[in-house]
C-alpha cells in the first residue's frame, strides 16, 4: 500500500436534508433527515484515500469534548488510526451545520473559533513520521488562524527530504494571511489544488492560465484548479490540460473537491500521468456527490475504476 499523510482540518458535519429555508419564531419545522458525519478537508481526503486502498496517516486537531468523542468514534469506523489526532483542551471541536437542498447544492454554518480553526501545521507537535511516505497533503491552506509559515516550511521540507511528493489545497482566507506570507513554503510544493474561486481570490487573476502562472512564479510545479461544473484545469511543465466533469447525478456537492483530491492523489501515487490522475479524481468526485455527506460514497478503488470506464 502507498503511504499518504494528510494534515489539516477536522469537523463534525451535521447535515440537514431538504429542510425549510426559514423557520418562523417559536415554530418547529421539519426536514427530510438530520445526520452526523465526520468532515473537514483533511478528513474527507483521508476517508476516501483509505477506501481506495492507501495507507493513510491523518494528523488533525479536535476538541476534548463530547463532539470530539463522537468524531473519534466515527473516524474509527472507517478504519483510520487516531494516534495522529490531538485533543485541544482550550477550543471546542469544530462543528458545521450543512443544509442541502433538492438540487444538491449546500450552505454551511461553522463554529467560528473551534479547534480546527486554531491548529498549527507543525510536524513536531504531531510527531509526524515521514518514513516511506509517497505523498504529504495539507488540506487546507489558510483554514487556520494558527497557520505559520515556519511550520509549513518545516513540514514540506521534511517531506521532501524523506522523498515524498507534496500537495496542498486551500480555502478562502480565514487566517488573515496572503500568498506573500507563505512564499517560502510554496517553493516546496509539487502540486497545488485549489478551487478556481479560491485561487482567483488569492492571486487577483481571472483566467486559469494567469492564475496558474502566479503560482508557478512562486515555485509551485503543478497547478490544478477545480472548476466546479466545468471540470478541472491543470498547468504543468509548460502545457495545460482540461478534463470535463463526468458526474451524472448530483445529490450533495459537499466534499466534491476533497474527494477529487483523494482520487488525484491515488492516481499520482499509483504512477498515472497527470491527465489520467485528473480523470481518476473526477470519477472519485462524481461518486462522492451522488450521495449525501462529504465522504463515505467511495467504497474501494475498483468502484472508481468502473465508474471511470463507464463514463469517460
Amino acid at each position: 500500500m502507498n503511504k499518504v499523510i494528510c494534515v489539516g482540518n477536522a469537523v463534525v458535519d451535521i447535515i440537514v436534508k431538504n429542510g425549510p429555508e426559514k423557520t418562523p419564531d417559536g415554530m418547529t419545522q421539519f426536514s427530510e433527515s438530520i445526520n452526523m458525519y465526520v468532515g473537514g478537508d483533511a478528513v474527507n481526503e483521508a476517508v476516501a484515500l483509505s477506501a481506495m486502498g492507501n495507507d493513510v496517516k491523518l494528523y488533525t486537531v479536535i476538541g476534548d469534548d463530547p463532539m470530539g468523542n463522537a468524531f473519534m468514534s466515527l473516524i474509527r469506523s472507517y478504519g483510520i488510526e487516531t494516534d495522529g489526532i490531538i485533543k485541544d483542551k482550550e477550543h471546542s471541536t469544530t462543528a458545521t451545520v450543512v443544509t442541502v437542498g433538492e438540487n444538491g447544492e449546500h450552505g454551511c454554518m461553522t463554529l467560528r473559533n473551534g479547534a480546527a480553526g486554531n491548529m498549527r501545521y507543525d510536524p513536531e507537535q504531531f510527531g509526524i513520521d515521514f518514513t516511506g511516505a509517497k505523498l504529504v497533503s495539507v488540506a487546507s491552506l489558510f483554514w487556520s488562524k494558527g497557520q505559520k509559515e515556519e511550520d509549513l516550511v518545516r513540514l514540506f521540507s521534511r517531506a521532501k527530504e524523506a522523498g515524498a511528493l507534496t500537495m496542498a489545497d486551500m480555502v478562502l482566507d480565514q487566517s488573515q494571511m496572503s500568498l506573500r506570507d507563505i512564499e517560502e513554503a510554496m517553493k516546496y510544493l509539487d502540486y497545488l489544488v485549489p478551487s478556481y474561486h479560491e485561487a482567483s481570490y488569492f492571486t487577483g487573476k481571472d483566467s486559469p492560465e494567469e492564475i496558474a502562472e502566479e503560482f508557478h512564479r512562486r515555485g509551485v510545479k503543478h497547478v490544478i484548479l477545480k472548476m466546479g461544473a466545468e471540470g478541472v484545469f491543470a498547468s504543468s511543465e509548460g502545457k495545460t490540460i482540461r478534463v470535463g466533469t463526468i458526474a451524472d447525478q448530483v445529490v450533495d456537492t459537499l466534499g466534491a473537491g476533497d474527494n477529487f483530491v483523494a482520487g488525484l492523489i491515488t492516481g499520482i501515487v499509483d504512477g498515472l500521468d497527470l491527465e489520467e490522475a485528473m480523470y481518476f479524481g473526477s470519477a472519485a468526485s462524481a461518486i462522492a456527490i451522488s450521495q449525501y455527506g462529504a465522504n463515505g460514497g467511495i467504497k474501494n478503488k475498483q468502484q472508481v475504476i468502473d465508474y471511470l470506464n463507464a463514463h469517460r
Side-chain angles (χ1 to χ4, degrees):
M1 290 193 294
N2 293 314
K3 179 179 176 180
V4 178
I5 292 172
C6 293
V7 186
N9 62 320
V11 306
V12 172
D13 286 332
I14 300 169
I15 298 182
V16 182
K17 175 183 175 183
N18 294 341
E21 292 186 5
K22 184 177 180 181
T23 302
D25 292 343
M27 297 291 289
T28 298
Q29 299 287 330
F30 297 93
S31 67
E32 185 175 328
S33 66
I34 300 175
N35 291 295
M36 181 182 292
Y37 301 85
V38 292
D41 301 300
V43 173
N44 295 336
E45 284 184 21
V47 170
L49 283 163
S50 179
M52 288 183 282
N54 299 285
D55 175 18
V56 180
K57 304 300 179 185
L58 173 65
Y59 297 93
T60 189
V61 179
I62 60 173
D64 189 11
D65 53 22
M67 193 74 79
N69 293 337
F71 175 91
M72 295 291 271
S73 177
L74 288 167
I75 201 69
R76 288 190 187 102
S77 71
Y78 290 107
I80 295 175
E81 296 177 0
T82 58
D83 55 343
I85 300 175
I86 294 174
K87 287 195 172 184
D88 183 340
K89 296 185 180 299
E90 295 184 13
H91 301 93
S92 300
T93 299
T94 302
T96 299
V97 177
V98 184
T99 56
V100 183
E102 292 183 358
N103 64 354
E105 295 300 321
H106 66 274
C108 300
M109 180 171 62
T110 299
L111 179 65
R112 185 187 302 276
N113 196 35
N118 288 278
M119 71 172 286
R120 293 178 59 185
Y121 300 100
D122 181 4
E124 296 294 339
Q125 179 188 25
F126 286 109
I128 298 176
D129 179 8
F130 295 98
T131 306
K134 288 289 191 71
L135 188 145
V136 176
S137 174
V138 169
S140 292
L141 295 176
F142 302 109
W143 167 268
S144 174
K145 295 189 293 292
Q147 174 179 299
K148 298 179 184 298
E149 182 174 46
E150 56 264 34
D151 291 339
L152 290 169
V153 168
R154 192 157 48 244
L155 177 65
F156 289 139
S157 63
R158 291 188 181 176
K160 299 297 288 182
E161 289 168 5
L165 295 168
T166 55
M167 181 180 290
D169 195 348
M170 58 173 57
V171 298
L172 289 178
D173 186 22
Q174 298 184 73
S175 65
Q176 302 304 305
M177 298 178 74
S178 68
L179 294 183
R180 186 179 299 108
D181 296 311
I182 63 166
E183 279 195 318
E184 185 62 29
M186 294 182 73
K187 296 175 183 177
Y188 293 94
L189 272 176
D190 292 304
Y191 299 89
L192 183 65
V193 197
S195 73
Y196 166 80
H197 295 293
E198 293 156 357
S200 179
Y201 170 86
F202 282 106
T203 62
K205 303 297 183 181
D206 294 324
S207 77
E209 291 82 4
E210 289 177 315
I211 289 169
E213 181 54 35
E214 285 296 308
F215 291 127
H216 288 317
R217 189 168 60 81
R218 291 172 168 84
V220 180
K221 293 182 178 63
H222 311 282
V223 179
I224 299 98
L225 302 180
K226 295 170 287 189
M227 308 283 289
E230 296 180 29
V232 285
F233 166 92
S235 175
S236 171
E237 299 177 333
K239 66 179 181 178
T240 60
I241 305 168
R242 290 181 182 268
V243 170
T245 181
I246 55 175
D248 61 3
Q249 182 182 22
V250 179
V251 173
D252 179 5
T253 58
L254 186 67
D258 301 331
N259 282 270
F260 168 80
V261 173
L264 177 73
I265 291 172
T266 300
I268 289 170
V269 298
D270 278 353
L272 299 181
D273 65 30
L274 183 56
E275 184 173 2
E276 291 301 314
M278 289 165 64
Y279 271 109
F280 201 85
S282 296
S285 179
I287 292 169
I289 65 176
S290 68
Q291 50 92 58
Y292 283 98
N295 54 63
I298 299 171
K299 307 303 181 186
N300 52 60
K301 187 188 295 185
Q302 190 60 47
Q303 176 193 18
V304 182
I305 293 170
D306 292 344
Y307 186 98
L308 182 56
N309 289 337
H311 292 82
R312 182 167 174 173

